[in-house]
Amino acid sequence: MISLRRVHLEHTEDVLQAVDKIATEGVGALMDSESRQGSERWGTLSKGSFNVFYKLMMVELVNAARRIAAPTQSANRQVREEKLLEWSVAVKVLHMLVNFVKEFDGRPNLSIALKYGRMFIEVFLRQAMPLLDSIFRIHTDDIQSILKKLQLSTRLLQHVCSHSKVIKDVSLTNHIPPLKKALEVLLYKVKAMLFNNKCTEAFWLGNLKNRDLQGQEILSQALESQSDTDRTTADVTDMPTDDESDVVSRRKHSHAFFIIRCLLKQINK
């Protein structure tokens, strides 16, 4: 049955919609169930087989993202808007899938989230960022929504990184350097996009605390970096809350983040 699901996803007309359906209906029912089995419609999906389904969904999400080719320079407005809508759906599905590690936090699932989460971000950098940059002035609100949703996923991936370091699992920590590199590139790509559109005032850098999978601060980190936290809190007092931010880190105990705050009057200056 798993093989049939794979074949179905590979040949379905709308892979993103199919993955979204498995995630919302299949996994949703499984999470709501008190037993190890989910709904009858998704009979092969259980807590025991979740890992197989999870990898399948993440793989197909990345493959679907790769098929959202960056529009050519001669592409008209309609084509660009269709691509933007596809990326909006893809980022939404990523957020859903990454969020599953809060409930299914076994090592295989964390490894899948780190590996394919990074691969998705790399595809987003290559194929989505040029599109967002080219239509930023026209679709500011839509692009802001996409980036904010992506931030929710990158923040949770950062939490998985922190958790992996705490439990000192080499199979997980090996995924951290390439993921951090991708997140760092994302940070600077967004900064460049804002600069190109005369909206640099919307770019903020601040510090995020290391947290576990449930969002709780890691106490060992808090003790080690208490002086750093005290020093940076004043700098970010008027910044948005943790729930609105995230992206990358060069410091040992902090993560840089960006916040998009673009008003049309700023863009049109």
Side-chain angles (χ1 to χ4, degrees):
M1 288 298 295
I2 298 296
S3 296
L4 290 177
R5 290 289 182 195
R6 180 178 292 108
V7 171
H8 169 69
L9 286 176
E10 289 175 350
H11 296 87
T12 190
E13 188 172 328
D14 192 335
V15 174
L16 291 175
Q17 184 179 21
V19 173
D20 179 89
K21 195 168 187 178
I22 296 175
T24 53
E25 296 182 8
V27 181
L30 182 62
M31 293 173 68
D32 292 337
S33 174
E34 295 182 358
S35 67
R36 291 179 56 85
Q37 200 71 28
S39 67
E40 293 183 3
R41 180 176 181 182
W42 308 91
T44 57
L45 175 57
S46 65
K47 292 182 179 179
S49 66
F50 174 80
N51 171 254
V52 179
F53 272 85
Y54 190 50
K55 182 175 181 179
L56 175 61
M57 289 187 289
M58 288 293 277
V59 168
E60 292 307 320
L61 170 62
V62 172
N63 288 338
R66 285 173 175 159
R67 288 193 286 270
I68 309 175
T72 62
Q73 291 185 347
S74 59
N76 59 34
R77 180 172 176 174
Q78 181 180 351
V79 171
R80 294 176 186 273
E81 289 176 347
E82 289 173 354
K83 299 293 184 183
L84 182 65
L85 179 60
E86 288 184 82
W87 277 115
S88 178
V89 175
V91 169
K92 171 198 165 190
V93 173
L94 174 70
H95 178 235
M96 227 182 337
L97 297 185
V98 172
N99 240 15
F100 287 153
V101 299
K102 293 181 179 179
E103 179 76 16
F104 305 96
D105 58 359
R107 177 198 294 176
N109 298 327
L110 298 181
S111 179
I112 290 169
L114 290 172
K115 177 180 179 180
Y116 292 99
R118 184 258 306 168
M119 293 173 69
F120 181 94
I121 292 168
E122 289 175 343
V123 176
F124 186 89
L125 287 168
R126 289 195 306 269
Q127 297 174 201
M129 285 306 300
L131 169 67
L132 303 189
D133 196 18
S134 68
I135 59 176
F136 185 82
R137 292 171 180 264
I138 304 172
H139 296 283
T140 307
D141 290 341
D142 293 330
I143 292 173
Q144 176 179 334
S145 177
I146 290 174
L147 292 176
K148 282 188 174 181
K149 182 70 73 175
L150 184 60
Q151 286 176 313
L152 296 177
S153 299
T154 59
R155 181 172 65 248
L156 185 49
L157 288 174
Q158 293 281 16
H159 294 173
V160 176
C161 291
S162 299
H163 172 77
S164 302
K165 290 179 179 179
V166 169
I167 64 175
K168 299 179 180 179
D169 190 320
V170 177
S171 65
L172 295 177
T173 56
N174 284 340
H175 290 291
I176 295 178
L179 174 60
K180 291 293 184 88
K181 181 179 179 181
L183 293 175
E184 186 172 345
V185 175
L186 175 63
L187 174 70
Y188 290 110
K189 288 282 188 179
V190 171
K191 183 177 181 180
M193 179 178 69
L194 296 176
F195 178 81
N196 292 336
N197 289 279
K198 300 179 181 179
C199 200
T200 53
E201 292 182 2
F203 188 88
W204 299 93
L205 283 180
N207 294 314
L208 292 181
K209 298 174 182 177
N210 286 340
R211 299 181 184 274
D212 61 21
L213 299 180
Q214 304 306 322
Q216 299 300 314
E217 184 179 354
I218 298 175
L219 296 181
S220 60
Q221 177 264 332
L223 292 173
E224 291 174 12
S225 61
Q226 185 174 358
S227 59
D228 284 344
T229 303
D230 291 343
R231 176 176 57 80
T232 57
T233 299
D235 296 335
V236 298
T237 299
D238 297 323
M239 294 295 98
T241 62
D242 225 21
D243 290 336
E244 298 174 321
S245 59
D246 195 60
V247 173
V248 91
S249 164
R250 281 199 176 196
R251 300 185 180 183
K252 183 178 180 182
H253 297 302
S254 64
H255 303 304
F257 65 83
F258 63 80
I259 291 296
I260 310 301
R261 281 182 174 176
C262 295
L263 301 175
L264 290 176
K265 62 180 181 180
Q266 288 179 304
I267 300 171
N268 293 326
K269 282 182 179 179

